[in-house]
């Protein structure tokens, strides 16, 4: 079956950096777009970043644009989220998701497989 396993979360201070990884197994990783979403306490899950199947097209939420970078390594079946200049408002559980098709998407319903999430906590 398809599995997505996130790693790299943790507790950091404001201004620090973290890199999240998401390893995918059970499907042809390179055929599908990937996305990162997050859910803060008491809030709905929201879109963070997405990348097309080839890695040539990316898109970011305004709240993270210029600070976060999504990349993928199709040889390693892994997508990454480099998070720089972290802020307390970035505190959330971060989820990676594998898309229904190759084009990038900001919509949750375009993703049919999800990881279990990794906690990112940014202290002020």
């Amino acid at each position: 079956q398809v599995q997505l396993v996130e790693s790299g979360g943790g507790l950091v201070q404001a201004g620090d950096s973290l890199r999240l990884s998401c390893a995918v197994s059970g499907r042809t990783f390179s055929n599908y777009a990937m996305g990162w979403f997050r859910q803060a306490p008491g809030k709905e899950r929201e879109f963070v970043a997405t990348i097309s199947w080839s890695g040539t097209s990316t898109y970011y939420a305004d709240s993270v644009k210029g600070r976060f970078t999504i990349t993928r390594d199709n040889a390693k079946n892994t997508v990454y989220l480099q998070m720089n200049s972290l802020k307390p408002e970035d505190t959330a559980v971060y989820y990676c998701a594998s898309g229904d098709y190759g084009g990038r998407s900001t919509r949750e319903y375009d993703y049919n497989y999800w990881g279990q999430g990794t906690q990112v906590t940014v202290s002020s």
Side-chain angles (χ1 to χ4, degrees):
Q1 72 275 23
V2 179
Q3 288 189 317
L4 284 72
V5 179
E6 299 105 334
S7 60
L11 171 63
V12 296
Q13 293 187 332
D16 286 350
S17 298
L18 275 177
R19 188 175 81 154
L20 305 183
S21 300
C22 173
V24 180
S25 61
R27 71 179 338 200
T28 305
F29 177 77
S30 59
N31 285 355
Y32 302 100
M34 294 294 298
W36 285 97
F37 294 77
R38 67 186 181 186
Q39 187 168 22
K43 295 186 177 181
E44 293 191 352
R45 190 159 58 186
E46 65 175 3
F47 164 76
V48 175
T50 180
I51 188 166
S52 63
W53 67 274
S54 63
T56 57
S57 180
T58 59
Y59 189 78
Y60 299 90
D62 286 344
S63 59
V64 307
K65 201 172 295 182
R67 299 188 298 122
F68 290 13
T69 303
I70 186 171
T71 57
R72 66 189 296 160
D73 186 336
N74 285 346
K76 295 183 178 180
N77 290 355
T78 302
V79 64
Y80 304 96
L81 185 68
Q82 177 67 44
M83 306 185 294
N84 298 331
S85 302
L86 282 161
K87 304 175 181 180
E89 51 264 43
D90 293 319
T91 295
V93 176
Y94 283 72
Y95 299 90
C96 68
S98 184
D100 291 345
Y101 49 88
R104 67 184 196 192
S105 175
T106 65
R107 302 171 300 196
E108 287 194 34
Y109 59 76
D110 283 333
Y111 295 87
N112 49 6
Y113 297 101
W114 293 78
Q116 80 289 351
T118 186
Q119 177 70 46
V120 172
T121 304
V122 185
S123 63
S124 57

